[in-house]
Amino acid sequence: MKTAVKTKRQSVSKGIQKICGNIIEWRLYGKGLALTAMDLEQIINSLIDNYVEGELCTITPNGATANGWWSIKW
């Protein structure tokens, strides 16, 4: 007998933003989130170091942490 396992879908906030002349696609796992100044600084520093994608970890307005990802849109 097979048992079906239900998984809860996680809310995702995503967007596209121009940073340092690059079009950056980003996503954060949580509802209604946006990039913070610290997220932008992290992405800018990564671009300066020649990265084309990277992980994000941000603090939400309620003090929780949210993970995500960014990458250059080619």
Side-chain angles (χ1 to χ4, degrees):
M1 177 181 218
K2 292 184 179 181
T3 305
V5 177
K6 285 189 174 183
T7 57
K8 185 179 177 183
R9 285 190 141 188
Q10 190 172 15
S11 300
V12 177
S13 300
K14 52 186 166 179
I16 297 174
Q17 192 166 342
K18 189 170 187 175
I19 303 173
C20 293
N22 295 291
I23 304 298
I24 302 296
E25 186 172 20
W26 60 270
R27 59 198 152 300
L28 291 168
Y29 299 106
K31 187 175 181 179
L33 300 175
L35 293 180
T36 65
M38 290 180 68
D39 297 329
L40 291 172
E41 184 178 343
Q42 178 184 350
I43 293 171
I44 289 168
N45 288 333
S46 296
L47 289 169
I48 290 168
D49 290 338
N50 292 321
Y51 287 94
V52 296
E53 63 184 5
E55 188 176 6
L56 292 171
C57 184
T58 192
I59 298 174
T60 64
N62 66 1
T65 58
N67 293 321
W69 199 258
W70 69 270
S71 63
I72 294 177
K73 190 172 173 105
W74 299 100

mmCIF file of all heavy atoms in Angstrom, residues 8-45:
data_model
loop_
_atom_site.group_PDB
_atom_site.id
_atom_site.type_symbol
_atom_site.label_atom_id
_atom_site.label_comp_id
_atom_site.label_asym_id
_atom_site.label_seq_id
_atom_site.Cartn_x
_atom_site.Cartn_y
_atom_site.Cartn_z
ATOM 1 N N LYS A 8 3.921 20.979 2.182
ATOM 2 C CA LYS A 8 3.427 22.345 2.135
ATOM 3 C C LYS A 8 4.326 23.160 1.227
ATOM 4 O O LYS A 8 5.545 23.122 1.358
ATOM 5 C CB LYS A 8 3.428 22.935 3.539
ATOM 6 C CG LYS A 8 2.834 24.299 3.616
ATOM 7 C CD LYS A 8 2.834 24.820 5.043
ATOM 8 C CE LYS A 8 2.291 26.217 5.082
ATOM 9 N NZ LYS A 8 2.344 26.795 6.410
ATOM 10 N N ARG A 9 3.723 23.890 0.299
ATOM 11 C CA ARG A 9 4.502 24.762 -0.582
ATOM 12 C C ARG A 9 4.960 25.978 0.191
ATOM 13 O O ARG A 9 4.198 26.568 0.944
ATOM 14 C CB ARG A 9 3.661 25.213 -1.762
ATOM 15 C CG ARG A 9 3.474 24.133 -2.776
ATOM 16 C CD ARG A 9 2.852 24.734 -3.982
ATOM 17 N NE ARG A 9 3.494 24.102 -5.120
ATOM 18 C CZ ARG A 9 3.327 24.473 -6.342
ATOM 19 N NH1 ARG A 9 2.544 25.478 -6.615
ATOM 20 N NH2 ARG A 9 3.928 23.851 -7.316
ATOM 21 N N GLN A 10 6.188 26.337 -0.033
ATOM 22 C CA GLN A 10 6.757 27.491 0.640
ATOM 23 C C GLN A 10 6.556 28.735 -0.225
ATOM 24 O O GLN A 10 6.729 28.698 -1.431
ATOM 25 C CB GLN A 10 8.245 27.253 0.881
ATOM 26 C CG GLN A 10 8.871 28.281 1.773
ATOM 27 C CD GLN A 10 10.294 27.893 2.133
ATOM 28 O OE1 GLN A 10 10.896 27.027 1.513
ATOM 29 N NE2 GLN A 10 10.829 28.533 3.130
ATOM 30 N N SER A 11 6.162 29.838 0.417
ATOM 31 C CA SER A 11 5.986 31.098 -0.298
ATOM 32 C C SER A 11 7.336 31.612 -0.774
ATOM 33 O O SER A 11 8.334 31.482 -0.072
ATOM 34 C CB SER A 11 5.365 32.147 0.606
ATOM 35 O OG SER A 11 4.124 31.719 1.068
ATOM 36 N N VAL A 12 7.340 32.189 -1.956
ATOM 37 C CA VAL A 12 8.575 32.719 -2.523
ATOM 38 C C VAL A 12 8.340 34.156 -2.989
ATOM 39 O O VAL A 12 7.372 34.436 -3.685
ATOM 40 C CB VAL A 12 9.059 31.867 -3.716
ATOM 41 C CG1 VAL A 12 10.301 32.464 -4.342
ATOM 42 C CG2 VAL A 12 9.303 30.440 -3.294
ATOM 43 N N SER A 13 9.211 35.050 -2.568
ATOM 44 C CA SER A 13 9.218 36.423 -3.070
ATOM 45 C C SER A 13 10.329 36.492 -4.101
ATOM 46 O O SER A 13 11.423 35.977 -3.866
ATOM 47 C CB SER A 13 9.511 37.406 -1.937
ATOM 48 O OG SER A 13 8.533 37.305 -0.932
ATOM 49 N N LYS A 14 10.055 37.107 -5.249
ATOM 50 C CA LYS A 14 11.097 37.185 -6.264
ATOM 51 C C LYS A 14 10.995 38.491 -7.026
ATOM 52 O O LYS A 14 9.972 39.164 -7.011
ATOM 53 C CB LYS A 14 11.056 35.989 -7.195
ATOM 54 C CG LYS A 14 9.735 35.689 -7.826
ATOM 55 C CD LYS A 14 9.818 34.397 -8.614
ATOM 56 C CE LYS A 14 8.449 33.891 -8.982
ATOM 57 N NZ LYS A 14 8.520 32.672 -9.754
ATOM 58 N N GLY A 15 12.094 38.821 -7.690
ATOM 59 C CA GLY A 15 12.112 40.051 -8.447
ATOM 60 C C GLY A 15 13.323 40.126 -9.357
ATOM 61 O O GLY A 15 14.188 39.250 -9.348
ATOM 62 N N ILE A 16 13.351 41.189 -10.147
ATOM 63 C CA ILE A 16 14.464 41.462 -11.048
ATOM 64 C C ILE A 16 14.867 42.906 -10.797
ATOM 65 O O ILE A 16 14.020 43.786 -10.703
ATOM 66 C CB ILE A 16 14.061 41.246 -12.512
ATOM 67 C CG1 ILE A 16 13.700 39.779 -12.741
ATOM 68 C CG2 ILE A 16 15.170 41.692 -13.453
ATOM 69 C CD1 ILE A 16 13.161 39.480 -14.114
ATOM 70 N N GLN A 17 16.173 43.124 -10.660
ATOM 71 C CA GLN A 17 16.675 44.455 -10.337
ATOM 72 C C GLN A 17 18.009 44.680 -11.036
ATOM 73 O O GLN A 17 18.808 43.756 -11.165
ATOM 74 C CB GLN A 17 16.858 44.549 -8.822
ATOM 75 C CG GLN A 17 17.087 45.920 -8.306
ATOM 76 C CD GLN A 17 16.902 45.965 -6.789
ATOM 77 O OE1 GLN A 17 16.313 45.085 -6.184
ATOM 78 N NE2 GLN A 17 17.420 47.003 -6.182
ATOM 79 N N LYS A 18 18.253 45.902 -11.485
ATOM 80 C CA LYS A 18 19.528 46.237 -12.107
ATOM 81 C C LYS A 18 20.495 46.666 -11.011
ATOM 82 O O LYS A 18 20.229 47.606 -10.266
ATOM 83 C CB LYS A 18 19.355 47.349 -13.129
ATOM 84 C CG LYS A 18 20.590 47.580 -13.961
ATOM 85 C CD LYS A 18 20.299 48.511 -15.122
ATOM 86 C CE LYS A 18 21.510 48.577 -16.021
ATOM 87 N NZ LYS A 18 21.246 49.359 -17.221
ATOM 88 N N ILE A 19 21.613 45.950 -10.917
ATOM 89 C CA ILE A 19 22.631 46.230 -9.906
ATOM 90 C C ILE A 19 23.989 46.226 -10.595
ATOM 91 O O ILE A 19 24.357 45.245 -11.246
ATOM 92 C CB ILE A 19 22.618 45.174 -8.776
ATOM 93 C CG1 ILE A 19 21.224 45.099 -8.124
ATOM 94 C CG2 ILE A 19 23.689 45.474 -7.736
ATOM 95 C CD1 ILE A 19 21.065 43.973 -7.127
ATOM 96 N N CYS A 20 24.729 47.304 -10.475
ATOM 97 C CA CYS A 20 26.072 47.426 -11.071
ATOM 98 C C CYS A 20 26.073 47.096 -12.563
ATOM 99 O O CYS A 20 26.974 46.422 -13.062
ATOM 100 C CB CYS A 20 27.079 46.537 -10.338
ATOM 101 S SG CYS A 20 27.422 47.034 -8.663
ATOM 102 N N GLY A 21 25.049 47.538 -13.269
ATOM 103 C CA GLY A 21 24.993 47.314 -14.707
ATOM 104 C C GLY A 21 24.573 45.915 -15.108
ATOM 105 O O GLY A 21 24.569 45.591 -16.292
ATOM 106 N N ASN A 22 24.222 45.073 -14.151
ATOM 107 C CA ASN A 22 23.777 43.714 -14.429
ATOM 108 C C ASN A 22 22.307 43.578 -14.054
ATOM 109 O O ASN A 22 21.861 44.151 -13.061
ATOM 110 C CB ASN A 22 24.575 42.693 -13.614
ATOM 111 C CG ASN A 22 26.030 42.660 -13.992
ATOM 112 O OD1 ASN A 22 26.387 42.226 -15.078
ATOM 113 N ND2 ASN A 22 26.887 43.133 -13.102
ATOM 114 N N ILE A 23 21.572 42.798 -14.823
ATOM 115 C CA ILE A 23 20.192 42.486 -14.474
ATOM 116 C C ILE A 23 20.249 41.261 -13.545
ATOM 117 O O ILE A 23 20.698 40.185 -13.940
ATOM 118 C CB ILE A 23 19.342 42.167 -15.722
ATOM 119 C CG1 ILE A 23 19.398 43.328 -16.713
ATOM 120 C CG2 ILE A 23 17.914 41.831 -15.323
ATOM 121 C CD1 ILE A 23 18.848 44.630 -16.182
ATOM 122 N N ILE A 24 19.803 41.455 -12.308
ATOM 123 C CA ILE A 24 19.882 40.416 -11.289
ATOM 124 C C ILE A 24 18.478 39.877 -11.006
ATOM 125 O O ILE A 24 17.546 40.634 -10.756
ATOM 126 C CB ILE A 24 20.490 40.968 -9.977
ATOM 127 C CG1 ILE A 24 21.881 41.557 -10.224
ATOM 128 C CG2 ILE A 24 20.502 39.904 -8.892
ATOM 129 C CD1 ILE A 24 22.915 40.558 -10.688
ATOM 130 N N GLU A 25 18.348 38.574 -11.072
ATOM 131 C CA GLU A 25 17.113 37.901 -10.690
ATOM 132 C C GLU A 25 17.322 37.344 -9.285
ATOM 133 O O GLU A 25 18.340 36.711 -9.017
ATOM 134 C CB GLU A 25 16.828 36.771 -11.687
ATOM 135 C CG GLU A 25 15.511 36.102 -11.482
ATOM 136 C CD GLU A 25 15.203 35.126 -12.614
ATOM 137 O OE1 GLU A 25 16.127 34.699 -13.329
ATOM 138 O OE2 GLU A 25 14.022 34.796 -12.754
ATOM 139 N N TRP A 26 16.391 37.617 -8.380
ATOM 140 C CA TRP A 26 16.555 37.164 -7.002
ATOM 141 C C TRP A 26 15.262 36.527 -6.496
ATOM 142 O O TRP A 26 14.192 36.764 -7.019
ATOM 143 C CB TRP A 26 16.948 38.317 -6.083
ATOM 144 C CG TRP A 26 15.947 39.441 -6.033
ATOM 145 C CD1 TRP A 26 15.921 40.539 -6.834
ATOM 146 C CD2 TRP A 26 14.812 39.544 -5.177
ATOM 147 N NE1 TRP A 26 14.847 41.331 -6.523
ATOM 148 C CE2 TRP A 26 14.143 40.747 -5.504
ATOM 149 C CE3 TRP A 26 14.289 38.755 -4.167
ATOM 150 C CZ2 TRP A 26 12.989 41.153 -4.847
ATOM 151 C CZ3 TRP A 26 13.139 39.167 -3.513
ATOM 152 C CH2 TRP A 26 12.510 40.354 -3.854
ATOM 153 N N ARG A 27 15.401 35.680 -5.486
ATOM 154 C CA ARG A 27 14.249 35.095 -4.820
ATOM 155 C C ARG A 27 14.579 34.849 -3.349
ATOM 156 O O ARG A 27 15.698 34.473 -3.005
ATOM 157 C CB ARG A 27 13.769 33.833 -5.507
ATOM 158 C CG ARG A 27 14.765 32.720 -5.610
ATOM 159 C CD ARG A 27 14.307 31.731 -6.678
ATOM 160 N NE ARG A 27 15.322 30.987 -7.361
ATOM 161 C CZ ARG A 27 16.312 31.447 -8.097
ATOM 162 N NH1 ARG A 27 16.511 32.709 -8.207
ATOM 163 N NH2 ARG A 27 17.149 30.656 -8.703
ATOM 164 N N LEU A 28 13.602 35.106 -2.509
ATOM 165 C CA LEU A 28 13.712 34.870 -1.071
ATOM 166 C C LEU A 28 12.543 33.986 -0.658
ATOM 167 O O LEU A 28 11.412 34.189 -1.101
ATOM 168 C CB LEU A 28 13.671 36.185 -0.285
ATOM 169 C CG LEU A 28 14.872 37.103 -0.440
ATOM 170 C CD1 LEU A 28 14.573 38.472 0.156
ATOM 171 C CD2 LEU A 28 16.096 36.498 0.227
ATOM 172 N N TYR A 29 12.803 33.004 0.189
ATOM 173 C CA TYR A 29 11.767 32.073 0.611
ATOM 174 C C TYR A 29 10.991 32.663 1.780
ATOM 175 O O TYR A 29 11.390 32.581 2.926
ATOM 176 C CB TYR A 29 12.387 30.715 0.939
ATOM 177 C CG TYR A 29 13.073 30.143 -0.279
ATOM 178 C CD1 TYR A 29 14.447 30.125 -0.396
ATOM 179 C CD2 TYR A 29 12.315 29.670 -1.346
ATOM 180 C CE1 TYR A 29 15.063 29.640 -1.538
ATOM 181 C CE2 TYR A 29 12.924 29.182 -2.485
ATOM 182 C CZ TYR A 29 14.293 29.169 -2.565
ATOM 183 O OH TYR A 29 14.901 28.692 -3.704
ATOM 184 N N GLY A 30 9.876 33.294 1.438
ATOM 185 C CA GLY A 30 8.989 33.949 2.379
ATOM 186 C C GLY A 30 8.046 34.853 1.607
ATOM 187 O O GLY A 30 8.346 35.274 0.485
ATOM 188 N N LYS A 31 6.928 35.172 2.191
ATOM 189 C CA LYS A 31 5.903 35.955 1.495
ATOM 190 C C LYS A 31 6.135 37.448 1.691
ATOM 191 O O LYS A 31 6.401 37.902 2.802
ATOM 192 C CB LYS A 31 4.531 35.575 2.032
ATOM 193 C CG LYS A 31 3.388 36.179 1.280
ATOM 194 C CD LYS A 31 2.072 35.667 1.795
ATOM 195 C CE LYS A 31 0.933 36.267 0.998
ATOM 196 N NZ LYS A 31 -0.352 35.756 1.463
ATOM 197 N N GLY A 32 6.045 38.216 0.596
ATOM 198 C CA GLY A 32 6.103 39.669 0.654
ATOM 199 C C GLY A 32 7.441 40.261 1.047
ATOM 200 O O GLY A 32 7.496 41.345 1.612
ATOM 201 N N LEU A 33 8.541 39.587 0.729
ATOM 202 C CA LEU A 33 9.875 40.075 1.093
ATOM 203 C C LEU A 33 10.495 40.861 -0.058
ATOM 204 O O LEU A 33 10.153 40.662 -1.214
ATOM 205 C CB LEU A 33 10.788 38.909 1.477
ATOM 206 C CG LEU A 33 10.330 38.073 2.664
ATOM 207 C CD1 LEU A 33 11.264 36.884 2.861
ATOM 208 C CD2 LEU A 33 10.260 38.916 3.918
ATOM 209 N N ALA A 34 11.408 41.741 0.281
ATOM 210 C CA ALA A 34 12.156 42.521 -0.705
ATOM 211 C C ALA A 34 13.618 42.534 -0.283
ATOM 212 O O ALA A 34 13.951 42.240 0.863
ATOM 213 C CB ALA A 34 11.611 43.944 -0.776
ATOM 214 N N LEU A 35 14.489 42.867 -1.232
ATOM 215 C CA LEU A 35 15.912 42.968 -0.912
ATOM 216 C C LEU A 35 16.140 44.133 0.047
ATOM 217 O O LEU A 35 15.587 45.216 -0.136
ATOM 218 C CB LEU A 35 16.733 43.189 -2.176
ATOM 219 C CG LEU A 35 16.789 42.035 -3.178
ATOM 220 C CD1 LEU A 35 17.650 42.443 -4.364
ATOM 221 C CD2 LEU A 35 17.313 40.771 -2.549
ATOM 222 N N THR A 36 16.975 43.904 1.047
ATOM 223 C CA THR A 36 17.344 44.958 1.988
ATOM 224 C C THR A 36 18.647 45.597 1.524
ATOM 225 O O THR A 36 19.306 45.105 0.600
ATOM 226 C CB THR A 36 17.538 44.390 3.403
ATOM 227 O OG1 THR A 36 18.661 43.483 3.384
ATOM 228 C CG2 THR A 36 16.297 43.662 3.898
ATOM 229 N N ALA A 37 19.035 46.674 2.185
ATOM 230 C CA ALA A 37 20.310 47.334 1.871
ATOM 231 C C ALA A 37 21.475 46.367 2.078
ATOM 232 O O ALA A 37 22.440 46.373 1.304
ATOM 233 C CB ALA A 37 20.487 48.573 2.727
ATOM 234 N N MET A 38 21.388 45.518 3.089
ATOM 235 C CA MET A 38 22.459 44.537 3.336
ATOM 236 C C MET A 38 22.508 43.489 2.227
ATOM 237 O O MET A 38 23.588 43.054 1.831
ATOM 238 C CB MET A 38 22.275 43.878 4.695
ATOM 239 C CG MET A 38 22.552 44.839 5.852
ATOM 240 S SD MET A 38 22.336 44.084 7.461
ATOM 241 C CE MET A 38 23.688 42.925 7.468
ATOM 242 N N ASP A 39 21.345 43.083 1.711
ATOM 243 C CA ASP A 39 21.304 42.136 0.588
ATOM 244 C C ASP A 39 21.966 42.747 -0.642
ATOM 245 O O ASP A 39 22.758 42.092 -1.323
ATOM 246 C CB ASP A 39 19.866 41.747 0.241
ATOM 247 C CG ASP A 39 19.153 41.031 1.369
ATOM 248 O OD1 ASP A 39 19.816 40.321 2.139
ATOM 249 O OD2 ASP A 39 17.928 41.194 1.472
ATOM 250 N N LEU A 40 21.622 44.002 -0.931
ATOM 251 C CA LEU A 40 22.217 44.695 -2.077
ATOM 252 C C LEU A 40 23.729 44.800 -1.928
ATOM 253 O O LEU A 40 24.477 44.577 -2.887
ATOM 254 C CB LEU A 40 21.611 46.085 -2.228
ATOM 255 C CG LEU A 40 20.151 46.126 -2.673
ATOM 256 C CD1 LEU A 40 19.618 47.541 -2.593
ATOM 257 C CD2 LEU A 40 20.000 45.555 -4.061
ATOM 258 N N GLU A 41 24.187 45.122 -0.726
ATOM 259 C CA GLU A 41 25.631 45.220 -0.487
ATOM 260 C C GLU A 41 26.316 43.878 -0.713
ATOM 261 O O GLU A 41 27.388 43.802 -1.318
ATOM 262 C CB GLU A 41 25.886 45.715 0.935
ATOM 263 C CG GLU A 41 27.350 45.938 1.243
ATOM 264 C CD GLU A 41 27.578 46.488 2.642
ATOM 265 O OE1 GLU A 41 26.638 46.995 3.265
ATOM 266 O OE2 GLU A 41 28.729 46.382 3.114
ATOM 267 N N GLN A 42 25.677 42.800 -0.257
ATOM 268 C CA GLN A 42 26.243 41.461 -0.446
ATOM 269 C C GLN A 42 26.332 41.120 -1.935
ATOM 270 O O GLN A 42 27.346 40.604 -2.406
ATOM 271 C CB GLN A 42 25.395 40.422 0.275
ATOM 272 C CG GLN A 42 25.897 39.004 0.087
ATOM 273 C CD GLN A 42 24.986 37.975 0.724
ATOM 274 O OE1 GLN A 42 24.070 38.305 1.457
ATOM 275 N NE2 GLN A 42 25.243 36.722 0.424
ATOM 276 N N ILE A 43 25.285 41.422 -2.684
ATOM 277 C CA ILE A 43 25.287 41.137 -4.121
ATOM 278 C C ILE A 43 26.355 41.977 -4.821
ATOM 279 O O ILE A 43 27.111 41.463 -5.657
ATOM 280 C CB ILE A 43 23.894 41.380 -4.724
ATOM 281 C CG1 ILE A 43 22.905 40.353 -4.173
ATOM 282 C CG2 ILE A 43 23.943 41.323 -6.248
ATOM 283 C CD1 ILE A 43 21.458 40.633 -4.538
ATOM 284 N N ILE A 44 26.436 43.259 -4.489
ATOM 285 C CA ILE A 44 27.437 44.138 -5.106
ATOM 286 C C ILE A 44 28.843 43.626 -4.830
ATOM 287 O O ILE A 44 29.674 43.541 -5.746
ATOM 288 C CB ILE A 44 27.267 45.587 -4.598
ATOM 289 C CG1 ILE A 44 25.993 46.189 -5.183
ATOM 290 C CG2 ILE A 44 28.479 46.439 -4.965
ATOM 291 C CD1 ILE A 44 25.570 47.501 -4.537
ATOM 292 N N ASN A 45 29.136 43.263 -3.589
ATOM 293 C CA ASN A 45 30.466 42.740 -3.255
ATOM 294 C C ASN A 45 30.761 41.437 -4.000
ATOM 295 O O ASN A 45 31.889 41.216 -4.442
ATOM 296 C CB ASN A 45 30.604 42.539 -1.744
ATOM 297 C CG ASN A 45 30.715 43.847 -1.000
ATOM 298 O OD1 ASN A 45 31.175 44.852 -1.544
ATOM 299 N ND2 ASN A 45 30.280 43.862 0.241
#
